[in-house]
Amino acid sequence: MGRTAAINRKTGETNIQLSLNVDGEGVSEIDTGVPFMNHMLDLFTKHGQFNLTVQANGDIEVDDHHTTEDIGICLGMALKDALGDKKGIKRYGNSFVPMDDTLAQVVIDLSNRPHLEFRAEFPSDKVGTFDTELVHEFLWKFALEARMNLHVILHYGQNTHHMIEAIFKAMARALDEATTIDPRIKGIPSTKGML
């Protein structure tokens, strides 16, 4: 059956159905009502070799904040559920991704200790209609609910779209590495015996 999870979350601001298969083939069905998030989640799925479906309806007539935040919450919950006890996983992942003028790095520890370290500044406040401050909001809620260390380092860049896209691609690749089952690892990858 693989490592899968489905989350349904309905609030006064959003209604989200999300399903994740960690051991996927890079297949996505994304409809968030936020075009830039559709694009980021699609490429996250492709570069992480996950399968992801997201159907989100939110109060985008206000702005994209609640929808973006709540998708991060649901994705984190799904990742945590899909990984279960984390037996045999590599636990750590690191990826550098260039995109034209940009170089992004993401380092992950699936430690059960949530932390976001975000070393990125964008030259533009918006990409299309999307507020770039929501990248931090999404990543923080994702890290919090997945209970992982997520370190995002944007080494350089000029084009805001490229910078954010490189971050999402690097995150996907780092997460793919961290979730990989390594047959050499017996049990939980921690000297504590649990994560």
Side-chain angles (χ1 to χ4, degrees), residues 124-178:
S124 300
D125 293 334
K126 286 188 176 285
V127 176
T129 60
F130 185 80
D131 294 318
T132 56
E133 68 180 12
L134 295 179
V135 175
H136 180 279
E137 192 68 28
F138 173 86
L139 295 175
W140 166 229
K141 294 305 166 34
F142 182 32
L144 182 64
E145 295 297 335
R147 299 193 58 80
M148 66 178 170
N149 280 198
L150 176 59
H151 290 245
V152 175
I153 305 151
L154 189 63
H155 291 282
Y156 46 81
Q158 297 176 356
N159 181 288
T160 301
H161 187 128
H162 291 170
M163 295 159 91
I164 298 170
E165 186 164 332
I167 288 169
F168 272 79
K169 287 177 177 175
M171 181 171 66
R173 294 179 64 84
L175 196 56
D176 181 43
E177 180 181 359

Side-chain angles (χ1 to χ4, degrees), residues 75-109:
L75 185 59
M77 292 169 67
L79 179 63
K80 183 177 181 295
D81 287 356
L83 292 178
D85 61 13
K86 302 178 184 169
K87 285 182 180 176
I89 65 166
K90 287 190 172 182
R91 177 179 165 178
Y92 298 99
N94 177 35
S95 180
F96 287 87
V97 168
M99 187 166 182
D100 298 348
D101 55 286
T102 296
L103 180 64
Q105 180 184 12
V106 173
V107 185
I108 288 173
D109 177 9

Side-chain angles (χ1 to χ4, degrees), residues 1-193:
M1 181 171 173
R3 296 176 293 171
T4 63
I7 302 295
N8 295 311
R9 185 173 188 272
K10 186 173 184 179
T11 73
E13 298 163 341
T14 63
N15 184 2
I16 297 171
Q17 292 84 44
L18 183 149
S19 66
L20 173 69
N21 182 349
V22 174
D23 305 305
E25 300 171 329
V27 177
S28 64
E29 293 181 27
I30 312 291
D31 184 8
T32 69
V34 181
F36 189 72
M37 279 306 297
N38 290 349
H39 181 38
M40 292 302 105
L41 292 172
D42 185 50
L43 60 87
F44 168 79
T45 305
K46 187 71 170 176
H47 289 273
Q49 290 297 298
F50 311 121
N51 289 353
L52 178 66
T53 62
V54 182
Q55 179 66 50
N57 294 295
D59 57 356
I60 56 174
E61 70 280 1
V62 175
D63 66 10
D64 297 337
H65 184 106
H66 295 139
T67 301
T68 302
E69 177 183 30
D70 287 6
I71 292 168
I73 289 170
C74 291
L75 185 59
M77 292 169 67
L79 179 63
K80 183 177 181 295
D81 287 356
L83 292 178
D85 61 13
K86 302 178 184 169
K87 285 182 180 176
I89 65 166
K90 287 190 172 182
R91 177 179 165 178
Y92 298 99
N94 177 35
S95 180
F96 287 87
V97 168
M99 187 166 182
D100 298 348
D101 55 286
T102 296
L103 180 64
Q105 180 184 12
V106 173
V107 185
I108 288 173
D109 177 9
L110 295 171
S111 61
N112 205 36
R113 294 188 307 276
H115 181 80
L116 172 65
E117 197 65 36
F118 188 75
R119 306 286 178 93
E121 293 182 11
F122 305 122
S124 300
D125 293 334
K126 286 188 176 285
V127 176
T129 60
F130 185 80
D131 294 318
T132 56
E133 68 180 12
L134 295 179
V135 175
H136 180 279
E137 192 68 28
F138 173 86
L139 295 175
W140 166 229
K141 294 305 166 34
F142 182 32
L144 182 64
E145 295 297 335
R147 299 193 58 80
M148 66 178 170
N149 280 198
L150 176 59
H151 290 245
V152 175
I153 305 151
L154 189 63
H155 291 282
Y156 46 81
Q158 297 176 356
N159 181 288
T160 301
H161 187 128
H162 291 170
M163 295 159 91
I164 298 170
E165 186 164 332
I167 288 169
F168 272 79
K169 287 177 177 175
M171 181 171 66
R173 294 179 64 84
L175 196 56
D176 181 43
E177 180 181 359
T179 59
T180 296
I181 299 290
D182 185 335
R184 298 172 300 170
I185 298 171
K186 308 303 180 192
I188 306 296
S190 171
T191 55
K192 296 176 182 152

